[in-house]
C-alpha cells in the first residue's frame, strides 16, 4: 500500500535506501556523557523507518483522543475508544452498522414505570403461555381417547389454584426485596451458595427454554394462519431469534410504550375472542368447530393418575413468567412494592381468566390438537370465522409470544451480570457492550435457544417437557429462601408471611417432583442433566475466582477497613537481561540498544550447532559491541529454545529468586502468511518458559515493510 | 498435582496461607540504601509461591544440562536439548519412540560409494520405470485397436534414442558440477532466478509424482499377484507412503548395502525373465499368453500422429530418474566424476535393455493392458508360468518401485534445503531434524504424494500425464544452463560440450512440448498449473526474504570483508514504562516492583468507567505506593484497551521516537479453560499495539495455583 501522505522533511529523515551500507558509524561517548546523548540519531535509526508517522496522522485529522480533566486524570473521547488498527476498525464499523453507535455509560436510563406500562412489560411472558398451555394439556389427555379431554377443565382449575398460591407467596418476596428478588438472589442470601447455584442454573435453563418455547409457539401461530410456510418452521424460528438477539444488542430498553401496545392488543383481542365465544355459547347453546386437517386421533391408553399428572405437568408451563414482577420492583413508581404487588395481582387474574377460559371453550367447542393448526387458532376460527378478526387474534398472539421471548433477553443477561459480579459466571458477563446492554449474555442466550430450536425442530410440545422442571425448581428455592428470610428477620407479621411462603414452597416443590417424574422420559431428564452440569461448571468457576482472589490478596483492604501499607521497591539491583542473538543485524542491534536501557547487566546468547560460524560471529561481535558479553552455547542436537532455557536455569542456581528478563526481536512482516517464513523463536520461547515463575519474555517488535 | 519433593527449609520459606492478611509491611530504605537491599524478602515474596523449586528439581536428578567449555562458551547436553515442560516432553517422547533418539550433528556420515553400490542407489528410480512405461504406451495405442500396439516397438526405440541423448548430455553436467548439479543448481548459476524457480518447481512436482507413480505402480504389481486386495488399492498405497515417510524421518541414510540387495535382485530377476522369454521365443517361435481378466478392448480411433505422440509422451516417463547420478557426484569415490559417469552409462544401458526388451516381448506374446494385472506381470506369467519365479519377479518389482519412491524422499528434502538456503523456500526446510534428516521436506513430500494418491485413486495411468512434463522441463533447463555454462567458461573442448548439451536441451524441450500438447487435457494442464502457482509462491518467498535481509542490513559485513563497527548505546535516559492497573493486588504489586527495576520513569494507568471506584483506588494507591504516579483515564464508552493506546500515542507527541514499554501482569491459571475467566488484557493490548513501531509489551507472568 503506498503511503499517500507526505511526511514533513524536518521531523522525519527520508527512509534509508535498503541494501546500502547504511549502518551509522557512531562515535563513542565522551567520559561522563550519556551514550544516547552522544548519538541523537541512534534511537531514530534503530527504531524503524518512519518514526512518528502515527503521531502525524493523528494530528492531521485533528481528532482528540484523550481529554485532560485534571492532573493525572483524563477522559477518553468516542474516537479514542475505537480501535486504531486496520482489522479492529473494520470489525468495529460492521458492529456499529448492525447494532448502532457506541453509547456512553451515562446514557443508561433509569425510567420509572406506571402500573399500566409495567403490566404490559412484565406480563408478556406469563400471558403468552395461554397461547399453548391448554393445547399441551389436551395433547396428553387425548392419549386416553377424546373423551378424556374433558379432564382438562379440572386440571386447569388446579393450575389456577397453584397460580394463586405462587402469586400470594411472591407478594411476600416483592415486599421483602424492593431491590429485586429473583430466585438466585433470594436463594443466595438465605440458603447459601449451592442452592443459589441450583436456582441460578434453573433460571438460566428457564430463560433459554422461554425463548425456545415462545418462539416455537409464535411460529406455530403463524403457520396456523399461513400453512404454506409449514416447511420453514425451524428457519422462521431462527429468524425470530436472530432478530430479537440483534434488537437486544442494539439495546431495546424497557421503554414501556412500545411494549404496551401489542400486549394490550393481545389482552383485548384474546379476551374479546373468549368473551364472544362464551356469549355465543350461552345464546346458541353450542359453537360449530371449524374444520381442521391432521387432527390428533384419540389414543387407547388408560386414563391413569399418572396420565392426569402428566397433563397437569404440561399445563403448569402456564405459570412461567409469573415471577417476572418480583425481579423488576425497582422499576416501579413509588410506593414501589405496593404498585408491583397490585400489578402482579392483575397479571395473575388475567392469566387465570385466559387460561381457564381457553380450556373451557376448547372443551365446549370440541377442539382437539392438530399438527397444522393450534388450539387457540381453532377456537378463534370457530368463534370468529376466518375473517380479519381471526387474523388479528393470531397476529397479536404471535406478537405477545415474541415479546415473551424478548423478556428473557432482558432477564438472562441481567441475571448473568449479577452472577458474574458474584464470581459464579465468567466476568465477561458483567460488562456492558457498546449499547449498554449485557452483550455477552444476549449472545449466549441467542445461541443456546437457537440450538434448542434446531435440536427439537422448533416443536413446542417437544420443548415443553424440558421447561417446567427448571421453573418450579426456581420457584421452590425462592419460596424456601423466603421462609428462612422470615425466620431470620422476624419483622412484624413474619409468622403469617412465613406460613404463606412455606405453603408456596411446598406446593411448588410437589409440582417440581411431579414434573420430573411424569416428564422424565419425555425430556425432563435432559433439563435435569443440563442443570447438574451447569451447577458443576458454575461451582468450578466460583472456586477458581475465589482462589485467585485469595491468592492475589484482593479485598483485604476493603474487608479490614484500613488500607494496607505497601512499599514497592524501585530499581536497586540491575535486572538480569538475556538477549538471544542469531546474527548481527538491525533488528538485533535495536533489541540490544533497548535491552541496555533496561539494565546494565545484559548478556547476549548465541545458540549454534556450527562452531565455525559461531567463531565468526564472536569476532564480529567483539569488533562491534565489545562492551557486552556474548555467550555461545553449542547445541549438538540442534535444539534452539532448550539451550536458552537451560542457561536461564543455570542462572537460577547462582542467583535464586531473581527475575530474569529475556529480550528478543520479533519480526512483524507486513502480511500474515510471511510469519511462517520466520522461525518464531519468540513464540517457542514463550511456550518453553511458560512454567517458570520468574522469567519475563520481552519481544521488541521489528516491523518489516515487505 | 501434589508436590512430592520436600523443599529444604533454609532456601525456601513455606508458602503463605492464602486469604490471610499476608502482605509484608516493609520498611522504607534508609538514605542511600538500595530499596531492595532494605527488603531482602521482597523479591521472594513478590515472585511467587515456590521460588527456586525448578532449580531444586534439576539438581536432585543430577542431570547436567549445560557443560562449560570455556569462558562464555557452553555446550548443551542431550538432556538440555529436550523440552522441560510437560506437554513438550510428552511430544518429544512420542517422537523418540517413533523415529528414534536424537542424533548429534557430528554423527552425520559422509560415506563414499563404490560404483556397484552407487548403481544400486541411484538407479532404482530410473530402472523401476520399466515396470510401467511399456504398459503406458500400450494403453494409448490400444485406443486405435489392438493392431496398433505394434507401434510400441518403434516408439520405445525413439525413447531409447532420447535416453542416449539425455545421458550423454548429462555426462557433461557431471563433469562440470562435481559438487552435484541438479537442474535447480545449474539453472540458478547459469540462467538466473526465474528459470531456476521454474526448474525448482518442476523438480518439486517431479519428486512428488515419483513417489505417487512408483507407489501406485508398486501396489499394482502387488494386486497382480494378489487380486483379493483389489479394493484396498488406495489404502495400500498410503500405507507404503507412511512407512517410507517414517523410515526417512528415522533417517535411513544412503547406506548402500541395504539398497543394493533388492536392486540387484530386480536387475537379475527382471533381466532373467526377459532373457528366458527371448530364449523361449527363439526356440519355440512363440509364447502363449497367460489368461487374463478385464483385458482392455481395442478402440476404434484412427492411428493419427497425435495418438503416436501421445503414446510416446506416456512412454517417456521411462526417462525419469535418469538424472539422479548428476545430483550425487560427491558421494562417489574419487575420481568422482569419472566413476559417476561410468555408473550412469551402465544404468542407461540396463534401462534401455529392460524397457525395449519388455516392449518387444509384450508385442511378441501379444500382451495387452488389463485392469487386474500389469503388463509385466502378464509377461512374467506367460514366460515363467505362475510359479515361485513369477512371485520373485513381482516381489522384486514392488521392491524396486518402493526404492524409487524412497529415492525421492532423499531428493526433495535435499533440494528443499538447498532452495531454503538460497531463500526461495521457507527457512524451516534447511534445518535437520532429530535424526539429521531434513524432516520438514520429508513430511511435505509424504503429505503431498498422499494427496495425489488419494485424488487419483492410486491409478498409475491417471498420474502419469502429470509426471513427464515436469521431468522434461527440468531436463531442458538443466541442459540449457549447461549451454550457457560452456559459453561462459570456454574450457578445453567447450565447443563439443556445448553442442552436446544444445542437442540435449533441444531434444528434451521438444519432448516437453509434445508432452504438454498431447497430455494437456489428460492432466498435464494440472501439473503446469501447479508449477506456475509454485513459481509464484517461491518468487514471493524469495522476494520477502531478500527484502527482509536488506532491511535488516544482513550480510553487509560478510560482503565487505571488513566487520562494520557498531556502537550500541547503553542505558542513558530511563525508559518510559507504563503499568496498566485494574486494582491493587499481589500480581500488580509484583509487576510494579518489576517495572521499577526496569526504569525510574514508571507510571501506572487505570482505565475506568466508574469515577467513584477510581477515586477509591487513587486513595488506596496514594497510601500504598505514594512515590509512583497513577494516571486515571475515564472511559465513558467502556473501552479498556483503546484508552491505553491513546495515552501511549499522547506520549509520542511529547517524546517522539522514544520507546514506550508497557508492563502488565499476566495471570497464568493452572488449567487451560480458566484462561477464559480472565479478561486477557495482555492479548488484547498486544493486538492493539501490533502496528506500533516503538512500543514493547512485557507480560510479567503470575502463576495461579488453582
Amino acid at each position: 500500500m503506498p503511503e499517500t501522505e507526505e511526511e514533513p522533511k524536518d521531523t522525519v529523515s527520508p527512509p534509508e535506501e535498503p541494501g546500502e551500507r547504511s549502518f551509522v558509524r557512531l562515535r563513542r561517548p565522551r567520559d561522563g556523557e550519556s551514550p544516547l546523548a552522544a548519538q541523537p540519531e541512534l534511537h531514530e535509526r534503530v527504531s524503524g523507518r518512519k518514526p512518528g508517522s502515527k503521531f502525524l496522522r493523528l494530528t492531521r485529522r485533528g481528532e482528540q483522543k484523550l481529554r485532560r480533566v485534571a492532573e493525572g486524570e483524563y477522559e477518553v473521547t468516542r474516537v479514542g475508544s475505537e480501535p486504531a488498527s486496520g482489522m479492529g476498525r473494520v470489525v468495529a464499523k460492521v458492529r456499529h452498522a448492525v447494532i448502532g453507535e457506541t453509547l456512553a455509560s451515562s446514557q443508561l436510563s433509569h425510567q420509572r414505570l406506571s402500573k399500566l406500562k409495567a403490566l404490559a412489560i412484565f406480563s408478556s411472558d406469563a400471558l403468552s403461555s395461554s397461547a399453548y398451555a391448554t393445547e399441551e394439556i389436551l395433547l396428553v389427555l387425548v392419549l386416553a381417547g377424546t373423551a378424556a379431554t374433558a379432564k382438562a377443565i379440572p386440571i386447569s382449575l388446579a393450575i389456577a389454584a397453584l397460580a394463586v398460591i405462587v402469586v400470594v407467596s411472591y407478594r411476600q418476596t416483592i415486599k421483602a426485596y424492593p431491590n429485586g428478588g429473583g430466585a438466585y438472589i433470594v436463594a443466595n442470601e438465605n440458603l447459601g451458595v449451592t442452592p443459589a447455584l441450583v436456582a441460578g442454573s434453573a433460571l438460566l435453563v428457564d430463560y433459554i427454554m422461554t425463548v425456545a418455547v415462545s418462539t416455537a409457539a409464535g411460529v406455530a401461530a403463524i403457520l396456523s394462519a399461513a400453512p404454506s410456510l409449514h416447511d420453514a418452521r425451524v428457519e422462521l424460528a431462527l429468524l425470530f431469534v436472530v432478530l430479537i438477539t440483534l434488537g437486544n444488542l442494539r439495546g431495546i430498553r424497557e421503554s414501556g410504550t412500545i411494549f404496551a401496545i401489542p400486549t394490550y392488543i393481545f389482552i383485548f383481542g384474546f379476551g374479546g375472542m373468549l368473551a364472544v365465544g362464551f356469549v355465543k355459547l350461552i345464546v346458541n347453546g353450542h359453537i360449530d368447530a371449524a374444520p381442521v386437517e391432521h387432527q390428533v386421533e384419540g389414543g387407547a391408553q388408560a386414563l391413569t393418575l399418572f396420565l392426569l399428572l402428566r397433563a397437569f405437568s404440561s399445563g403448569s408451563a402456564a405459570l412461567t413468567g409469573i415471577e417476572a414482577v418480583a425481579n423488576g420492583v425497582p422499576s416501579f413508581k413509588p410506593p414501589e412494592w405496593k404498585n408491583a404487588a397490585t400489578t402482579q395481582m392483575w397479571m395473575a387474574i388475567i392469566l387465570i381468566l385466559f387460561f381457564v377460559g381457553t380450556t373451557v371453550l376448547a372443551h365446549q367447542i370440541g377442539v382437539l390438537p392438530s399438527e397444522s393448526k393450534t388450539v387457540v387458532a381453532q377456537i378463534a376460527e370457530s368463534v370468529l370465522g376466518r375473517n380479519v378478526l381471526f387474523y388479528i387474534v393470531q397476529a397479536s398472539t404471535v406478537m405477545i409470544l415474541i415479546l415473551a421471548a424478548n423478556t428473557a433477553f432482558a432477564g438472562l443477561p441481567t441475571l448473568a451480570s449479577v452472577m458474574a459480579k458474584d464470581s459464579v459466571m465468567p466476568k465477561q458477563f458483567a460488562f456492558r457492550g457498546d449499547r449498554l446492554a449485557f452483550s455477552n449474555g444476549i449472545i449466549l442466550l441467542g445461541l443456546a435457544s437457537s440450538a434448542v430450536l434446531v435440536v427439537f425442530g422448533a416443536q413446542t410440545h417437544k420443548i415443553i417437557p424440558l421447561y417446567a422442571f427448571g421453573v418450579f425448581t426456581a420457584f421452590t428455592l425462592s419460596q424456601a429462601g423466603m421462609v428462612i428470610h422470615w425466620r431470620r428477620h422476624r419483622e412484624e407479621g413474619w409468622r403469617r408471611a412465613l406460613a404463606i411462603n412455606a405453603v408456596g414452597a411446598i406446593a411448588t416443590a410437589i409440582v417440581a417432583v411431579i414434573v420430573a417424574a411424569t416428564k422424565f422420559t419425555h425430556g425432563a431428564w435432559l433439563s435435569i442433566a443440563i442443570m447438574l452440569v451447569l451447577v458443576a461448571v458454575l461451582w468450578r468457576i466460583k472456586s477458581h475466582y475465589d482462589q485467585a482472589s485469595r491468592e492475589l490478596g484482593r479485598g483485604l483492604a476493603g474487608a479490614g477497613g484500613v488500607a494496607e501499607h505497601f512499599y514497592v521497591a524501585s530499581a536497586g539491583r540491575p535486572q538480569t537481561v538475556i538477549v538471544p542473538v542469531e546474527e548481527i543485524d538491525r533488528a538485533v542491534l535495536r533489541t540490544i540498544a533497548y535491552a541496555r536501557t533496561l539494565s546494565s547487566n545484559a548478556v547476549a546468547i548465541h545458540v549454534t550447532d556450527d562452531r565455525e560460524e559461531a567463531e565468526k560471529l564472536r569476532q564480529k561481535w567483539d569488533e562491534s559491541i565489545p562492551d557486552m558479553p556474548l555467550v555461545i552455547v553449542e547445541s549438538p542436537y540442534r535444539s534452539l529454545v532448550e539451550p536458552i532455557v537451560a542457561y536461564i536455569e543455570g542462572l537460577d542456581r547462582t542467583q535464586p529468586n531473581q527475575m530474569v528478563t529475556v529480550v528478543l526481536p520479533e519480526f512483524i512482516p507486513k502480511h500474515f502468511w510471511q510469519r511462517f517464513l520466520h522461525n518464531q523463536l519468540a513464540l517457542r520461547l514463550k511456550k518453553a518458559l511458560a512454567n517458570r515463575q520468574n522469567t519475563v519474555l520481552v519481544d521488541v517488535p521489528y516491523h518489516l515493510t515487505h
Side-chain angles (χ1 to χ4, degrees), chain A:
Chain A
M1 240 184 300
E3 281 283 343
T4 48
E5 359 164 347
E6 260 195 43
E7 307 286 351
K9 285 287 180 284
D10 52 343
T11 2
V12 184
S13 58
E16 306 158 15
E17 199 52 50
E20 295 300 303
R21 299 176 148 249
S22 51
F23 281 125
V24 201
R25 251 173 225 275
L26 301 165
R27 66 178 170 83
R28 286 184 182 270
R30 279 181 292 272
D31 278 347
E33 190 187 34
S34 140
L36 266 173
Q39 331 289 354
E41 282 181 292
L42 182 75
H43 246 90
E44 196 172 311
R45 280 300 182 105
V46 295
S47 67
R49 297 166 317 284
K50 286 191 179 174
S53 64
K54 198 111 202 173
F55 156 59
L56 287 169
R57 205 173 299 151
L58 242 178
T59 48
R60 200 172 46 83
R61 279 210 198 142
E63 287 165 330
Q64 207 183 355
K65 289 192 168 190
L66 276 186
R67 219 191 330 269
R68 192 167 169 283
V69 178
E71 176 64 29
E73 313 258 332
Y74 297 87
E75 197 187 49
V76 199
T77 61
R78 191 198 293 248
V79 176
S81 300
E82 299 290 331
S85 73
M87 200 50 205
R89 203 177 237 164
V90 172
V91 172
K93 275 203 176 147
V94 170
R95 209 174 54 228
H96 293 334
V98 177
I99 67 164
E101 284 298 319
T102 312
L103 297 176
S105 299
S106 54
Q107 287 170 269
L108 199 61
S109 79
H110 298 281
Q111 200 191 353
R112 293 298 181 113
L113 300 170
S114 68
K115 275 178 281 186
L116 217 61
K117 280 190 181 176
L119 181 64
I121 287 170
F122 293 116
S123 67
S124 61
D125 187 4
L127 296 187
S128 66
S129 41
S130 347
Y132 52 79
T134 301
E135 178 157 353
E136 294 303 324
I137 296 175
L138 292 177
L139 268 170
V140 176
L141 291 176
V142 84
L143 295 174
T146 47
T149 55
K151 297 290 181 195
I153 293 172
I155 287 174
S156 72
L157 290 174
I159 292 171
L162 184 64
V164 171
I165 293 174
V166 171
V167 163
V168 172
S169 187
Y170 257 102
R171 201 181 164 86
Q172 312 293 326
T173 312
I174 290 173
K175 203 168 164 187
Y177 285 87
N179 293 320
Y184 167 76
I185 292 172
V186 173
N188 199 26
E189 262 186 37
N190 300 298
L191 300 177
V193 175
T194 310
L197 291 184
V198 175
S201 305
L203 287 172
L204 291 175
V205 171
D206 264 15
Y207 282 124
I208 295 165
M209 294 304 163
T210 299
V211 174
V213 167
S214 304
T215 315
V219 170
I222 292 179
L223 297 186
S224 303
S228 58
L229 294 170
H230 200 81
D231 289 337
R233 188 185 282 270
V234 175
E235 290 80 357
L236 264 177
L238 291 182
L239 179 70
F240 276 120
V241 172
V242 168
L243 288 177
I244 300 171
T245 305
L246 287 179
N248 279 278
L249 286 174
R250 282 193 79 91
I252 301 170
R253 249 91 39 83
E254 297 167 347
S255 56
T257 322
I258 271 194
F259 291 82
I261 298 167
T263 307
Y264 283 108
I265 293 180
F266 175 76
I267 290 176
F268 288 109
F270 202 91
M273 174 193 79
L274 291 179
V276 171
F278 280 106
V279 168
K280 278 197 177 174
L281 256 189
I282 290 162
V283 173
N284 301 343
H286 76 285
I287 297 176
D288 289 330
V292 64
E293 290 168 354
H294 309 297
Q295 202 146 9
V296 169
E297 284 181 29
Q301 287 190 23
L303 189 63
T304 55
L305 178 63
F306 186 83
L307 201 73
L308 286 174
L309 288 176
R310 219 182 111 194
F312 172 82
S313 299
S314 291
S316 65
L319 264 65
T320 60
I322 213 164
E323 79 291 359
V325 170
N327 295 321
V329 184
S331 322
F332 282 84
K333 286 190 179 153
E336 286 89 353
W337 83 264
K338 281 214 163 163
N339 285 331
T342 311
T343 307
Q344 197 194 23
M345 194 189 67
W346 275 107
M347 183 177 89
I349 291 171
I350 298 171
L351 171 63
I352 290 172
L353 283 177
F354 280 14
F355 172 50
V356 177
T358 308
T359 311
V360 172
L361 209 51
H363 177 66
Q364 293 299 331
I365 300 174
V367 166
L368 288 179
S370 130
E371 278 279 292
S372 60
K373 215 179 274 182
T374 64
V375 166
V376 169
Q378 291 183 55
I379 293 176
E381 202 174 340
S382 308
V383 169
L384 307 170
R386 189 137 184 137
N387 54 28
V388 76
L389 290 173
F390 166 80
Y391 286 103
I392 289 176
V393 170
Q394 285 307 106
S396 72
T397 306
V398 173
M399 274 194 286
I400 195 101
L401 284 162
I402 299 303
L403 275 188
N406 190 63
T407 308
F409 273 90
L412 183 139
T414 309
L415 172 67
S417 81
V418 171
M419 290 171 76
K421 274 174 203 143
D422 284 356
S423 302
V424 300
M425 295 256 304
K427 276 189 205 168
Q428 286 85 338
F429 288 102
F431 302 130
R432 288 180 190 274
D434 282 1
R435 302 291 286 183
L436 296 168
F438 294 110
S439 322
N440 292 324
I442 292 170
I443 291 166
L444 174 75
L445 179 54
L447 292 177
S449 56
S450 299
V452 172
L453 284 167
V454 169
V455 169
F456 294 98
Q459 305 267 5
T460 316
H461 68 275
K462 285 189 181 162
I463 308 173
I464 285 276
L466 283 79
Y467 193 12
F469 177 71
V471 176
F472 282 93
T473 306
F475 281 167
T476 306
L477 287 167
S478 166
Q479 305 316 310
M482 287 310 296
V483 170
I484 306 294
H485 173 88
W486 298 123
R487 272 189 54 137
R488 280 198 193 140
H489 291 274
R490 302 186 183 232
E491 292 159 13
E492 209 196 308
W494 67 273
R495 282 170 205 280
R496 191 175 151 269
L498 188 151
I500 291 172
N501 283 130
V503 170
I506 293 166
T508 49
I510 291 171
V511 176
V513 171
I514 291 174
V515 170
T518 58
K519 293 285 179 186
F520 192 80
T521 54
H522 296 272
W525 69 270
L526 185 58
S527 70
I528 294 172
I530 293 172
M531 274 171 57
L532 287 177
V533 170
L534 253 180
V535 169
V537 169
L538 298 181
W539 183 264
R540 291 215 66 181
I541 290 173
K542 183 175 167 54
S543 128
H544 173 74
Y545 277 134
D546 286 356
Q547 279 287 354
S549 172
R550 238 173 286 150
E551 276 184 45
L552 292 168
R554 278 187 188 158
L556 295 182
V562 186
E564 294 280 328
H565 190 78
F566 306 123
Y567 184 80
V568 180
S570 49
R573 261 187 273 175
Q575 280 289 327
T576 306
V577 172
I578 296 175
V579 185
V581 165
E582 275 181 276
E583 48 190 305
I584 301 178
D585 57 29
R586 281 202 186 90
V588 168
L589 288 174
R590 181 160 172 267
T591 307
I592 289 170
Y594 174 80
R596 292 181 143 203
T597 62
L598 301 186
S599 170
S600 56
N601 180 20
V603 180
I605 179 168
H606 176 66
V607 179
T608 182
D609 72 331
D610 182 347
R611 281 213 68 78
E612 275 178 48
E613 174 268 320
E615 278 315 313
K616 273 186 209 153
L617 184 84
R618 180 178 287 292
Q619 217 175 335
K620 207 167 148 190
W621 183 272
D622 288 345
E623 285 168 19
S624 321
I625 313 155
D627 51 349
M628 180 168 168
L630 170 71
V631 172
I632 288 176
V633 180
E634 199 182 336
S635 175
Y637 298 94
R638 298 168 305 287
S639 55
L640 184 55
V641 169
E642 289 75 16
I644 299 172
V645 177
Y647 183 77
I648 295 170
E649 285 174 354
L651 290 180
D652 284 350
R653 226 162 305 185
T654 54
Q655 40 190 32
N657 301 331
Q658 264 273 8
M659 296 287 272
V660 175
T661 305
V662 182
V663 182
L664 79 171
E666 188 184 23
F667 296 115
I668 304 195
K670 206 168 169 192
H671 303 290
F672 182 74
W673 63 269
Q674 294 167 335
R675 300 212 159 206
F676 301 102
L677 301 181
H678 299 276
N679 66 9
Q680 300 180 296
L681 181 61
L683 212 69
R684 287 158 65 197
L685 257 181
K686 194 171 175 77
K687 253 190 209 159
L689 295 173
N691 286 331
R692 289 181 53 84
Q693 292 278 349
N694 294 333
T695 310
V696 174
L697 188 71
V698 180
D699 317 328
V700 181
Y702 192 95
H703 292 255
L704 296 168
T705 41
H706 286 274

